[in-house]
Amino acid sequence: ACGGGGGDDSGSTAGGDCEDVTLRLSHQWPEATGEDGDFRSLIAQKFAEGVEEETDGQVKVQVFPNSTLSKSTEQYDAMMNGSIDMSVFPLDYASGRVPEWSVTLMPGLVRNHAQAQSWEGSPIGDALVANMEENGAHLLTWVWNAGAIGSKTDPIVSPSDVEPGMTMRAAGSYVEFMLEDAGAGISSLPSNEIYTAMQTGVLDAAVTSTGSFASYNLQEQVKSFTSPTENTFWFMFEPLIISTGSYEKLCSDQQAAVDKVGADLQDYAYTASEEDDARVEKIFADAGVEVVQMDDAAFDEWLELAQKQWDAYAADVEGGAELLELAQEQHD
Amino acid sequence: MSSFAQGGIILAMAMVLFLTGMPIAFALAITAILSIVIFLGPDQFDLFGKMVFDSMNDFGLLAIPLFVLMGNLFGGSTASKQLFEAGEAWLSRVKGGLAMSSVLASAIFAALTGASAATAAAIGRVAIPEMATRGYSSRIATGAVAAGGTLGILIPPSVTLILYGIAAEQSIGQLFAGGIIPGIVITAMFCIWIFIATRMEERRASRPDVLPHHGARKVTARLYSWPDRFVSLAKVVPFALLVFAVLFVLYRGIATPSEAAAVGVVLVMALIGIGYRGLRGKDLIKVLLETTNQSTMILLITCFSAVIAVVLSYLRIPQDLATLVTDLDMNKWVVMLIINVILLVMGCFLPPVSIIVMVTPVLLPVILTLGFDPIWFGVLMTINMEMGLITPPVGLNLYVIKGIAPDIPLKEVLIGALPYVGILALALVLFSVFPEIITWLPEKLYSSGVATGG
Amino acid sequence: MKSILTFRWANALSELTGYLCGIALLAATAVTVQAVTARYFLGAPTVWQTELTIYLLMFVTFVGAAYGLKHHAHVGVDLVVEALGPRPQLILRLVTAVLCLGVVLIVFWTSFKIWLEAYEGGFTSSTAWRAPLSVVYTILPVGMGAVALQYVAMIVDGVRGLTGKIPMSEVMLMGHGGEKAVVEQEIEQIGVAAAAEAEAGAEAEAEAAAQDEPRPTDDDTEAGR
Ligand code: NA
Ligand code: NA
């Protein structure tokens, strides 16, 4: 059928008659073939299958992987104006629209998976969910991703390992500012240039999600890899979301089904993310890269630098101080 | 409606609009907005502006205006004259040496500009009148210039390779590297053809019953002393250094392709400013305005095409096409042949830029499904586009020749250029049989492929 | 009053956009080279350069489009159109110009709404630079606005041609747009360079002849025209 999609205004309102709906789910992760693919891509696929089954085919989810339908950073906009309905979306990408969301990629605020997973159902988690709802994003599954540091030289474990003049690229502006404070030069290269930039020496080191390290084959370029198994200052929240506009157009049974399938995927999302770190660590170790961990002492050194960014965030962003406070409470 | 029927409707809309003669960019824009309204629904109408804006939000595209600027600065200097003269000084005793000089000069000029018409115009302005006065037939003269000009998009930097790299998410550095050896091989093939064609003409001319071609007289060779030759060579050294400087910046990790382009612009300005009697304000303004014209033309086509690509992707046409090709279970080389024939037909009517940006997003899944190397295919597609530049009825380089030498009948230009279409086709076959000619250098420079996505 | 109605002033506006784009091109070059130098030689951060150069490039694309339109830089397939006689050709070109004006106005309108949204919401880009999108998002509506005005000027001019108010040879829409015009411009530009070169050569000789005399000032000979 042509047309269709979540943009259909007629009929199906909450509580009313349930009509057939097709939801468009766009994400930036590589298309997964089989169980070994990118776990964020698999979450999208599993969700699509689950919802179709749960609603007996009434709700269909069309998945558009690899940014085929919308640029990665533009997916929030696309959800807001209705061109897509859903995404597995790094909230920080929309921090230009919703500055509060920088809290989901704040350096040092989340140090390991246990801490990340504790957000769900906690005061910070509830505040974040409420804020997302206010800004048109209905959360279905919590997805967290740990980040690693890859370097062409010696391992970067503590801030003092950042040699002056070293050029780094990081995801997240507050992370970039922190690295700058540590003495790095920051390059804002597009992510698909990382591999070549490292190869040609434009970049000396990069901070990004473990999954991206593997999908960009950076094990072929880096000499050392600081794995997030013990600690990491880089944790990104990239939940499975549906726009509140599209959500409200579903009838109540469909809403319940969508919520249920999202919740059912929760355990998978947490475990897969942890397993992914182990998988990537193995890829890098097997490739002969020096794999190291960040111990608590080193993490505390980063924390000192990170707190400067927290202060900046609290000062710059309305409501930011409250969110930070709640997040810190969670971690004491 | 099947996705192919929908794709067919979109294609038909575009074709009809093209034929009305309106700018291709706006024909694509109308196609895009109609496709959105018909296939995505009228409520998606508001997305249009956002899609147009987002499609330009790419650092890689910046390389295009900057490489065009570099070429235009270079084209406005005395470089083309000196390149041609140096070639002539060394090849004056060879049969067809002057025509070979224009091909060689084009090849070097190509290494400093991203476009083909610029190459043909710069070299042709110097070479065609000189060849005419020295007794070359107009077929040999115009053919060499038209064909030499096509090297502009094969030998890096190249606007079409940049556009392909962005659409196919391939490393532009690798694509550039992939164009170098094929560029040299094709340059050599062109020179061999010139040698053969010149001999053939001589034989014909020696038969009393045959009239010579338009403009053909007894070819006179100018004689050069060895010191003359080295002086002429010395004059092109700065340009050669410039080529190496840009390549060095690119492959030694100083900069990305976009940044290398900016460095190149500054180096050309410095070179012209210091070595070649200054860069005047009013000339610079002309070059900048001309660059604006070419950039807005290329990039407007690119951005409206990108919107259509989003619609096609939404309709899953590229994916379905890839599935179809897999299901048909045809020999992959048969598919490659069909693709090349389609590209050649499109090349007859449309300029390379519009073909690359329209076709790449649709064909890429097919190429990857069949297991072809995307870098190899990008270079192959560019060579196919080179043919389109010299085939009637719409061939950019043919217009260039007409502009430079209005008194030469179009028929002579066409006949002169036609053999080069065959040579380029031969090159396509050669590089299909020996793909290493394309892939060796990128693999050597970059130890392994760059992953996409993620 | 009459000059306002003929939209001749839109031509001047389009010329202006071209010059602004020239500046944007130079700025993009300078900013990019600065970034390379800063990063490679000084190890300094280059947070804003990439983003700024992208915006400058967008400026050249969208705002330069009006200049390009006036100078027939936007390639078209003229095959069928040029087979027609002058009058039918002009009528067809008028029709297509109206269609183009329509689509340009659509882009203008939808991009204006995006700008308004960004302006009211105080949106910034999500990068470390936090560029205000209320500034960035003016590029597209401003560019399309200028293109629309240029099209109106060309349509008014074309109708005047059709009604015999101005000779067919002066009608902008009949300026043999497309590839050939681009190439002709290119050749003209090269011709200018050649003339300048010859002139420079002559100057050099003059200088050599009278080395101590003050150098003559540049005159404004528009060679090649
Ligand atoms: Na080139
Ligand atoms: Na052609």
Side-chain angles (χ1 to χ4, degrees):
Chain A
C2 61
D8 196 350
D9 276 305
S10 61
S12 57
T13 47
D17 293 335
C18 295
E19 289 182 4
D20 286 359
V21 183
T22 304
L23 296 171
R24 289 185 283 246
L25 194 167
S26 150
H27 64 75
Q28 78 212 67
W29 319 108
E31 183 158 20
T33 41
E35 279 295 307
D36 288 337
D38 186 289
F39 80 92
R40 297 154 294 195
S41 200
L42 283 170
I43 288 173
Q45 276 183 15
K46 286 173 189 289
F47 178 82
E49 289 158 14
V51 165
E52 198 165 338
E53 202 184 298
E54 190 72 26
T55 61
D56 287 327
Q58 211 179 49
V59 179
K60 285 203 170 56
V61 180
Q62 257 187 312
V63 182
F64 295 91
N66 212 1
S67 312
T68 40
L69 202 53
S70 177
K71 275 199 178 187
S72 56
T73 50
E74 307 295 341
Q75 292 174 121
Y76 174 67
D77 280 19
M79 283 175 71
M80 291 307 102
N81 61 30
S83 62
I84 62 173
D85 307 291
M86 306 185 59
S87 182
V88 183
F89 180 66
L91 280 194
D92 182 72
Y93 285 0
S95 60
R97 305 283 192 280
V98 187
E100 294 97 300
W101 288 357
S102 289
V103 80
T104 62
L105 185 54
M106 191 56 65
L109 195 57
V110 176
R111 68 197 292 174
N112 55 37
H113 284 280
Q115 231 177 39
Q117 290 164 17
S118 78
W119 278 39
E120 188 191 344
S122 72
I124 174 64
D126 293 345
L128 182 61
V129 170
N131 180 287
M132 286 169 65
E133 201 77 30
E134 245 171 69
N135 287 293
H138 177 77
L139 185 134
L140 297 172
T141 312
W142 295 73
V143 186
W144 286 94
N145 220 187
I149 314 168
S151 166
K152 294 198 67 165
T153 52
D154 293 336
I156 298 176
V157 179
S158 69
S160 54
D161 296 326
V162 178
E163 282 161 39
M166 190 176 235
T167 305
M168 297 182 75
R169 182 204 180 273
S173 50
Y174 287 98
V175 178
E176 287 185 342
F177 288 135
M178 181 187 76
L179 291 172
E180 221 178 289
D181 283 347
I186 300 300
S187 172
S188 46
L189 290 165
S191 55
N192 59 353
E193 291 281 356
I194 296 180
Y195 185 97
T196 349
M198 282 210 145
Q199 178 166 50
T200 54
V202 171
L203 270 191
D204 300 309
V207 180
T208 186
S209 73
T210 50
S212 296
F213 265 102
S215 54
Y216 285 121
N217 287 323
L218 294 180
Q219 72 275 12
E220 295 165 6
Q221 290 305 327
V222 300
K223 222 183 91 189
S224 64
F225 181 76
T226 311
S227 187
T229 314
E230 279 182 35
N231 290 296
T232 177
F233 59 73
W234 194 99
F235 243 97
M236 183 161 77
F237 184 44
E238 42 197 31
L240 174 68
I241 52 176
I242 179 167
S243 75
T244 47
S246 303
Y247 184 70
E248 279 155 15
K249 279 175 196 156
L250 301 173
C251 71
S252 49
D253 286 352
Q254 291 170 340
Q255 288 181 343
V258 165
D259 284 331
K260 179 178 182 294
V261 176
D264 287 349
L265 278 170
Q266 191 56 68
D267 281 346
Y268 172 77
Y270 285 150
T271 333
S273 180
E274 284 181 65
E275 281 171 4
D276 206 42
D277 291 350
R279 174 186 71 96
V280 175
E281 194 180 293
K282 184 168 183 308
I283 291 175
F284 276 66
D286 290 351
V289 175
E290 182 183 357
V291 176
V292 298
Q293 303 294 339
M294 184 185 289
D295 59 22
D296 289 354
F299 178 80
D300 288 342
E301 282 181 53
W302 285 110
L303 204 53
E304 241 169 84
L305 284 176
Q307 267 155 357
K308 204 180 134 194
Q309 298 310 320
W310 299 3
D311 294 344
Y313 169 78
D316 291 350
V317 176
E318 206 180 314
E322 289 77 20
L323 285 173
L324 261 181
E325 209 170 290
L326 291 176
Q328 281 170 266
E329 258 173 41
Q330 194 57 34
H331 302 153
D332 287 338
Chain B
M1 204 187 309
S2 82
S3 64
F4 294 128
Q6 294 170 324
I9 291 173
I10 295 175
L11 184 69
M13 277 195 288
M15 289 302 155
V16 169
L17 289 167
F18 286 161
L19 287 180
T20 65
M22 68 167 69
I24 288 176
F26 296 122
L28 290 169
I30 296 172
T31 308
I33 189 81
L34 290 176
S35 308
I36 289 175
V37 172
I38 298 171
F39 298 120
L40 267 65
D43 54 320
Q44 305 286 304
F45 185 79
D46 276 354
L47 295 177
F48 193 38
K50 187 89 182 103
M51 285 179 177
V52 171
F53 189 87
D54 291 345
S55 62
M56 272 297 105
N57 200 347
D58 193 317
F59 189 53
L61 289 174
L62 179 71
I64 291 174
L66 293 183
F67 276 130
V68 169
L69 176 57
M70 189 167 117
N72 285 348
L73 281 166
F74 199 56
S77 75
T78 56
S80 50
K81 189 164 158 248
Q82 273 151 0
L83 288 174
F84 179 69
E85 280 174 1
E88 187 198 352
W90 288 82
L91 293 169
S92 61
R93 286 173 175 279
V94 183
K95 254 182 233 323
L98 216 48
M100 291 178 193
S101 303
S102 51
V103 168
L104 288 175
S106 299
I108 296 173
F109 195 93
L112 287 153
T113 183
S116 278
T119 312
I123 302 298
R125 178 182 63 79
V126 183
I128 291 179
E130 182 68 18
M131 284 192 267
T133 47
R134 300 268 293 282
Y136 278 70
S137 78
S138 31
R139 283 182 194 177
I140 299 269
T142 59
V145 170
T150 68
L151 295 168
I153 54 169
L154 178 61
I155 296 175
S158 157
V159 167
T160 52
L161 286 175
I162 292 170
L163 291 172
Y164 175 85
I166 290 169
E169 292 182 315
Q170 297 299 316
S171 154
I172 289 160
Q174 286 198 41
L175 284 164
F176 278 7
I180 294 175
I181 296 176
I184 294 168
V185 171
I186 290 176
T187 305
M189 289 166 84
F190 285 174
C191 287
I192 293 169
W193 166 250
I194 289 168
F195 185 78
I196 296 170
T198 317
R199 282 200 63 128
M200 275 163 51
E201 275 198 0
E202 275 182 355
R203 292 234 179 103
R204 263 175 75 90
S206 62
R207 283 166 55 191
D209 56 320
V210 177
L211 286 170
H213 290 317
H214 182 86
R217 297 189 310 275
K218 182 159 168 43
V219 173
T220 53
R222 189 182 288 166
L223 294 178
Y224 286 86
S225 69
W226 282 100
D228 285 348
R229 286 178 181 165
F230 283 104
V231 167
S232 72
L233 201 59
K235 281 187 187 162
V236 297
V237 163
F239 300 113
L241 285 178
L242 198 61
V243 174
F244 284 112
V246 174
L247 288 177
F248 183 82
V249 166
L250 197 56
Y251 292 109
R252 267 317 197 168
I254 300 174
T256 61
S258 306
E259 294 171 342
V263 172
V265 167
V266 171
L267 290 178
V268 177
M269 281 186 176
L271 183 66
I272 296 172
I274 297 164
Y276 294 86
R277 298 205 44 81
L279 183 65
R280 297 182 188 200
K282 61 179 179 181
D283 294 340
L284 179 63
I285 290 168
K286 281 208 159 60
V287 165
L288 287 170
L289 291 175
E290 184 51 37
T291 306
T292 298
N293 270 338
Q294 290 165 354
S295 304
T296 184
M297 183 272 280
I298 295 170
L299 293 173
L300 222 51
I301 289 176
T302 306
C303 81
F304 290 124
S305 278
V307 177
I308 297 179
V310 172
V311 179
L312 294 179
S313 157
Y314 168 75
L315 298 174
R316 296 190 163 265
I317 290 167
Q319 296 92 322
D320 288 352
L321 192 64
T323 314
L324 176 77
V325 170
T326 319
D327 291 347
L328 286 178
D329 200 25
M330 281 193 285
N331 181 301
K332 69 178 201 172
W333 291 105
V334 175
V335 179
M336 187 50 68
L337 179 69
I338 295 171
I339 289 173
N340 273 288
V341 170
I342 294 171
L343 289 174
L344 182 63
V345 171
M346 290 180 85
C348 287
F349 299 95
L350 294 169
V353 168
S354 27
I355 299 176
I356 296 263
V357 292
M358 285 189 289
V359 166
T360 307
V362 180
L363 277 190
L364 193 74
V366 175
I367 297 302
L368 295 176
T369 306
L370 292 174
F372 287 112
D373 178 43
I375 299 287
W376 171 82
F377 180 69
V379 174
L380 213 69
M381 195 164 163
T382 292
I383 296 169
N384 197 308
M385 296 299 100
E386 286 186 78
M387 294 199 259
L389 289 166
I390 50 175
T391 52
V394 179
L396 203 47
N397 286 13
L398 301 177
Y399 290 147
V400 173
I401 308 292
K402 278 279 282 176
I404 295 169
D407 51 323
I408 298 178
L410 189 62
K411 188 178 150 236
E412 292 294 309
V413 181
L414 290 181
I415 295 174
L418 200 61
Y420 294 93
V421 179
I423 294 169
L424 288 166
L426 189 66
L428 286 179
V429 174
L430 182 70
F431 302 153
S432 297
V433 178
F434 303 104
E436 300 80 17
I437 300 173
I438 294 172
T439 57
W440 179 78
L441 190 59
E443 275 165 15
K444 182 98 182 156
L445 285 172
Y446 299 89
S447 57
S448 86
V450 180
T452 59
Chain C
M1 188 62 198
K2 198 187 162 211
S3 64
I4 295 172
L5 285 178
T6 56
F7 275 82
R8 284 287 169 94
W9 50 273
N11 291 328
L13 186 70
S14 298
E15 283 299 309
L16 176 68
T17 65
Y19 285 85
L20 290 176
C21 289
I23 295 169
L25 280 169
L26 286 182
T29 308
V31 168
T32 308
V33 170
Q34 190 270 339
V36 177
T37 326
R39 190 182 60 227
Y40 195 74
F41 296 105
L42 312 173
T46 60
V47 169
W48 52 272
Q49 287 91 334
T50 303
E51 205 176 334
L52 177 60
T53 45
I54 290 173
Y55 299 143
L56 289 167
L57 153 79
M58 287 179 163
F59 189 89
V60 173
T61 307
F62 295 127
V63 180
Y67 182 84
L69 180 61
K70 179 167 182 278
H71 291 263
H72 304 287
H74 296 291
V75 177
V77 182
D78 290 328
L79 211 60
V80 176
V81 191
E82 289 191 345
L84 301 171
R87 249 186 108 76
Q89 188 185 147
L90 179 56
I91 293 170
L92 181 58
R93 287 197 185 276
L94 272 169
V95 172
T96 57
V98 171
L99 283 175
C100 291
L101 175 63
V103 79
V104 166
L105 285 175
I106 291 172
V107 185
F108 170 79
W109 175 241
T110 57
S111 60
F112 173 77
K113 285 206 282 192
I114 296 166
W115 171 80
L116 195 65
E117 197 188 356
Y119 175 77
E120 286 173 344
F123 297 160
T124 65
S125 63
S126 302
T127 60
W129 194 36
R130 302 266 165 208
L133 292 183
S134 57
V135 177
V136 174
Y137 282 172
T138 54
I139 295 172
L140 190 51
V142 165
M144 290 302 113
V147 173
L149 290 172
Q150 181 61 47
Y151 258 124
V152 172
M154 289 168 94
I155 290 167
V156 170
D157 177 86
V159 170
R160 283 162 60 82
L162 208 58
T163 52
K165 294 225 172 69
I166 52 171
M168 213 58 152
S169 58
E170 283 175 22
V171 174
M172 278 191 278
L173 281 171
M174 298 291 281
H176 299 281
E179 291 188 5
K180 275 184 259 186
V182 177
V183 168
E184 276 155 19
Q185 277 171 27
E186 245 166 50
I187 290 160
E188 181 188 304
Q189 180 215 327
I190 288 161
V192 171
E197 185 191 306
E199 206 181 311
E203 261 176 36
E205 276 165 33
E207 265 179 66
Q211 266 181 349
D212 297 325
E213 274 176 40
R215 199 163 175 242
T217 50
D218 265 4
D219 60 350
D220 258 321
T221 355
E222 281 267 316
R225 287 222 168 241

